[in-house]
Amino acid sequence: MVVKPMFFSRKGTWTVLIMVLSFIFLFLVCCNTVEGENRPFGQQSMADVPEDIPLRYARRFTLKRVGTSTLIDVVKPAGAKLGVSYRYLLVPRGESVPEGFPEALVVSTPVERVTCGIGLHITMLRLLGEFESIVGVGKKEWIGNETILERIDSGKVLETGLSGSMNMETMVNLSPDIAFVYSSGSDTDVHEKLEAMGIKPGLSSMHLEGHPLGVLEWIKFFGAFFGKSDDADAYFADAAFRYETLERQVGERFGKRPGVIVGQGKRGFWSTHGSSAWFVRLLHDAGANYILEESTDYEENPISFEHAMKIGLVADYWINPLYTATSIADIINSDSRYTHFFSVKEGNVYNNNAAAFDSGRNMFWEIGMSEPDAVLRDLVHIFHPEILPIHRLKYYKRLH
C-alpha cells in the first residue's frame, strides 16, 4: 500500500498554509514594533487616530484625543490681521509620543512652571487650582490679582513684558514649561521669537471668540496642559447652564430691544473697545440691539466720530464709555457734545468699572470674562429690570 505524504492531502495543505501565513504575520508585527506598541505594517495604531473632543462654543481652538495624549490646534482665520495656526501635542509624562504629528509642538504634561501674559490667563489658572505654577507675568500694572502682586514684590514672580517688549533674557532664566501669551495674529505676536529661544509658547486667542461662553471655554485649553480637563469641563458646564438658562428666560419675556452703543470718542475717531464679537453677543442675549455697526466681523473696529455721534444721539443706552469715567460729568468734560446723547439725558449710561481690586484696577477684564453668566445678569437688569428686579449689579454701575 502506498501512503501519500500529508503535505499532498487537502487537510494537510491547509494546515501548512495557515502555519506559513501565521509565521509571516508575526514576523511583520515584530519588525514593526516600536517602544512596545504592536503596530501592523503600513498602518497607524488605532490609539494614534485623533478622536474629536467636542467644544460647544469655542471656535479658535480644537481638541482631539490621541491615545492618552491630547492634540490642540489654535486657529485664527486670516483677515484684517495675519492668520494664526498652531498645533500642540500634549503627552503625559512617561508616555511615548504618538506618531504622525511632526508639525506639533510636544509638551510634557502636567506642566509645572508657566508664565501668563494677561490677567485673564491668571484667572483661568486660579480656577483650576494652579496658582502656584505661575512664575512670571506680563506687566505688574496690568494685573489686579493681589496675591500675584505680592509675589511680584517678593520676587517669587517676575515681570516678563508683553509682545514686542517681552524680556527674552528673563524668559530664558525662568525656563517655563509653557509661556501663555496673548495672540491676535498681528506682527506683535512673539511666539516665533519664544520658540527661537527654546521656550514653548501657549497661544491664547480667547478674546477673538464670537460668544462669551466661547471665551470661557478656553478654560479647557488651559486645563489640558495641567491634566485637569475634568475640572475645566465641570466649571464650564456650570457657568454655561446658568448663562443659557437666563438667556432663554430673556428670550421668552422681553419685548422691544433697546438700541445700544459701546465705546468712546478718541483722537478723532470712535473706539469700540469692548465691542468685540463676544461682547456684542452678550448685548444680544441680554435683549438689546447693538446699533453702532452693521458688520458682523467685530474686532474693536475704529468708527468715524461723525457716524458714532449721529447714532449716539438716538441710542437708548450707552455702555462701556470712557473706561475711567465714574460720573456723567467725566464724560461731558471729555466732550461737551455728549450732552445731546439721548442716553446721557435719560441717565442710561453704564460703565463696567463697579468691581475693582485693592489696587483700583478694573476686575471686569481679568475676572468678569470668566463669569459671563454674572455679566449677563448685570446687562439683563440694565435693559430689562422687570426680569431681574432684585438683582444687584456686580460689574456695572449707572453713572450719575
Side-chain angles (χ1 to χ4, degrees), residues 28-29 32-34 37-45 48 99:
L28 290 174
V29 168
N32 289 278
T33 297
V34 179
E37 295 180 1
N38 293 327
R39 184 168 298 160
F41 180 76
Q43 295 183 14
Q44 186 179 34
S45 168
D48 290 356
E99 295 182 352

Side-chain angles (χ1 to χ4, degrees), residues 315-330:
D316 299 296
Y317 289 87
W318 187 1
I319 304 295
N320 298 0
L322 183 67
Y323 72 95
T324 57
T326 58
S327 68
I328 292 293
D330 291 337

Side-chain angles (χ1 to χ4, degrees), residues 173-189:
N173 289 335
L174 284 174
S175 186
D177 297 325
I178 195 78
F180 293 117
V181 293
Y182 169 99
S183 171
S184 64
S186 69
D187 292 332
T188 61
D189 287 348

Side-chain angles (χ1 to χ4, degrees), residues 21-263:
L21 291 175
S22 297
F23 176 81
I24 293 173
F25 176 81
L26 290 173
F27 176 79
L28 290 174
V29 168
C30 292
C31 288
N32 289 278
T33 297
V34 179
E35 296 182 0
E37 295 180 1
N38 293 327
R39 184 168 298 160
F41 180 76
Q43 295 183 14
Q44 186 179 34
S45 168
M46 288 301 294
D48 290 356
V49 176
E51 176 187 354
D52 285 337
I53 300 175
L55 297 175
R56 296 188 57 197
Y57 291 93
R59 297 293 180 267
R60 301 304 189 189
F61 78 101
T62 62
L63 290 173
K64 292 182 175 64
R65 189 176 292 104
V66 186
T68 58
S69 300
T70 303
L71 188 69
I72 301 179
D73 284 309
V74 175
V75 294
K76 179 199 179 294
K81 300 173 183 175
L82 301 177
V84 171
S85 180
Y86 218 74
R87 170 167 280 190
Y88 300 91
L89 186 59
L90 310 185
V91 183
R93 299 183 190 278
E95 299 285 341
S96 59
V97 179
E99 295 182 352
F101 310 99
E103 77 286 5
L105 184 65
V106 178
V107 180
S108 296
T109 59
V111 293
E112 298 173 348
R113 293 171 56 83
V114 305
T115 61
C116 296
I118 58 177
L120 185 55
H121 296 165
I122 294 172
T123 297
M124 291 294 180
L125 268 58
R126 177 179 61 80
L127 294 173
L128 292 168
E130 291 295 339
F131 217 58
E132 297 291 333
S133 68
I134 302 173
V135 296
V137 296
K139 295 182 69 174
K140 179 180 179 179
E141 63 188 274
W142 288 13
I143 302 298
N145 186 281
E146 289 87 358
T147 302
I148 290 295
L149 294 179
E150 291 173 0
R151 293 185 181 184
I152 291 175
D153 292 338
S154 66
K156 293 180 180 178
V157 172
L158 302 183
E159 290 185 83
T160 63
L162 292 169
S163 301
S165 63
M166 182 172 285
N167 188 322
M168 289 299 164
E169 183 178 355
T170 299
M171 292 295 294
V172 170
N173 289 335
L174 284 174
S175 186
D177 297 325
I178 195 78
F180 293 117
V181 293
Y182 169 99
S183 171
S184 64
S186 69
D187 292 332
T188 61
D189 287 348
V190 295
H191 57 280
E192 292 181 349
K193 182 181 285 188
L194 286 171
E195 275 203 277
M197 302 298 291
I199 299 168
K200 297 177 180 179
L203 274 64
S204 164
S205 298
M206 57 204 305
H207 57 291
L208 299 174
E209 290 290 347
H211 195 290
L213 287 176
V215 176
L216 177 60
E217 199 161 18
W218 275 77
I219 194 172
K220 299 179 182 180
F221 169 85
F222 292 94
F225 284 90
F226 290 93
K228 289 193 170 181
S229 293
D230 289 344
D231 294 336
D233 291 346
Y235 183 87
F236 174 78
D238 288 344
F241 175 79
R242 293 190 295 270
Y243 186 102
E244 292 164 345
T245 300
L246 180 55
E247 178 191 359
R248 287 192 297 270
Q249 182 181 358
V250 172
E252 293 169 356
R253 294 183 56 180
F254 83 89
K256 178 186 175 183
R257 288 180 179 270
V260 178
I261 61 169
V262 176

